[in-house]
């Protein structure tokens, strides 16, 4: 099974999540939104599974700097368009465990979920 972590290289939360994976000997691929963007169909699948509200990082500076007109009347279509245009608006990290997605970084959740996917304790 391939584990992929999606995010931005210089994000502090990403650094913590990647350090946790490294410290626990978890092999993973890193997908950097800044370099590679994100495919519209993948973002839509994530939204279908998790909800666009979970994916949209409203607390980040990119979202906060948007004009009010872009923030008003948010729905899935509008939120996905914003995240595709500026992937830094996607909450980080998104960890794809091959069938299960985790959004954000909490060591205790990573420990339980990554361990169960690997068949041993992380």
């Amino acid at each position: 099974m391939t584990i992929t972590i999606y995010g931005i290289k210089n994000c502090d939360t990403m650094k913590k999540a990647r350090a946790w994976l490294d410290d626990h000997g978890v092999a993973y691929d890193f997908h950097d939104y800044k370099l590679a963007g994100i495919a519209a169909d993948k973002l839509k699948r994530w939204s279908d599974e998790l909800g666009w509200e979970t994916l949209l990082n409203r607390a980040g500076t990119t979202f906060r700097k948007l004009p009010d007109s872009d923030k008003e009347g948010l729905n899935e279509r509008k939120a996905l368009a914003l995240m595709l245009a500026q992937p830094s608006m996607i909450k980080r990290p998104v960890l794809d465990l091959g069938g299960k997605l985790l959004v954000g970084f909490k060591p205790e959740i990573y420990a339980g979920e990554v361990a169960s996917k690997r068949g041993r304790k992380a």
Side-chain angles (χ1 to χ4, degrees), residues 34-86:
K34 292 277 189 183
L35 299 175
I38 187 73
D41 60 331
K42 183 178 295 274
L43 191 59
K44 175 67 171 122
R45 279 194 313 273
W46 290 356
S47 178
D48 290 345
E49 182 175 333
L50 303 166
W52 65 266
E53 299 92 340
T54 299
L55 292 172
L56 183 62
N57 182 6
R58 295 174 192 246
T61 56
T62 305
F63 183 83
R64 290 194 322 259
K65 288 181 181 178
L66 287 174
D68 287 341
S69 60
D70 286 347
K71 296 181 209 175
E72 293 168 1
L74 277 177
N75 57 27
E76 182 185 39
R77 183 192 56 76
K78 190 172 181 180
L80 292 177
L82 288 171
M83 289 184 275
L84 284 170
Q86 299 186 61

Side-chain angles (χ1 to χ4, degrees), residues 1-7 14 21 26-31 33 38 42 45-46 49-50 93-104 110 113-114 117:
M1 169 197 68
T2 302
I3 293 174
T4 304
I5 189 168
Y6 294 83
M14 284 296 302
L21 293 170
V26 178
Y28 62 90
D29 293 326
F30 171 53
H31 179 100
Y33 298 134
I38 187 73
K42 183 178 295 274
R45 279 194 313 273
W46 290 356
E49 182 175 333
L50 303 166
V94 174
L95 188 67
D96 185 345
L97 296 171
K100 180 160 188 166
L101 297 172
L102 302 177
V103 178
Y110 270 41
E113 293 296 336
V114 173
K117 293 297 180 190

